[in-house]
Amino acid sequence: QVQLVESGGGLVQTGGSLRLSCAASGRTFNMGWFRQAPGKAREFVAGISWSGGSTYYADSVKGRFTISRDNVKNTVYLQMNSLKPEDTAVYACAAGKRGPRIGVNAYEYDYWGRGTQVTVSS
C-alpha cells in the first residue's frame, strides 16, 4: 500500500512560480502529476520514471514545468514556472507501475494523493 501526500499549492500571480511536493510512504515506481480544473476532466501534467532518468510532459506545460524526484526522501516534486491562469486546478500526484513507459492515463496509476489547490490570478 502506498500513501501520497501533496503540499506546496497556493495562490500566485500570473508569471509566478510554485513548487509542489508529493511525499510517499511505501515503495514507488513511476510517478505522475495530474490536474483537474473545475468543470473539466482530469489531465496528465508530467511523469517520471523510477530512476528519474526519464520524464514526460503534457504539451501545455512543456518548458515551464519540471518534474523531479528524490528517492532517498521518497518524494516527487513539480516545479512550476511562468504560471498562467489556465494552470489553475487541483494538482494530484499518483504512483504507477515499474516499467519503461511513463503512463499518461489515470488508469495506469494505482495510488493517488488527495491533491493540492493551485490558483493563478490574472
Side-chain angles (χ1 to χ4, degrees), residues 49-96:
S49 62
W50 174 80
S51 68
S54 296
T55 57
Y56 190 76
Y57 298 91
D59 288 343
S60 58
V61 306
K62 201 172 295 182
R64 299 188 298 122
F65 291 11
T66 302
I67 188 171
S68 61
R69 68 189 299 163
D70 183 334
N71 286 341
V72 174
K73 295 181 179 179
N74 212 10
T75 300
V76 177
Y77 305 97
L78 185 68
Q79 177 67 44
M80 306 186 296
N81 298 329
S82 302
L83 283 162
K84 306 174 182 180
E86 50 263 44
D87 294 318
T88 294
V90 174
Y91 285 70
C93 67

Side-chain angles (χ1 to χ4, degrees), residues 8 15 18 38:
L18 282 174

Side-chain angles (χ1 to χ4, degrees), residues 95-110:
K97 298 175 176 56
R98 185 174 190 174
R101 170 179 166 77
I102 296 174
V104 299
N105 302 295
Y107 65 78
E108 297 180 89
Y109 292 83
D110 300 316

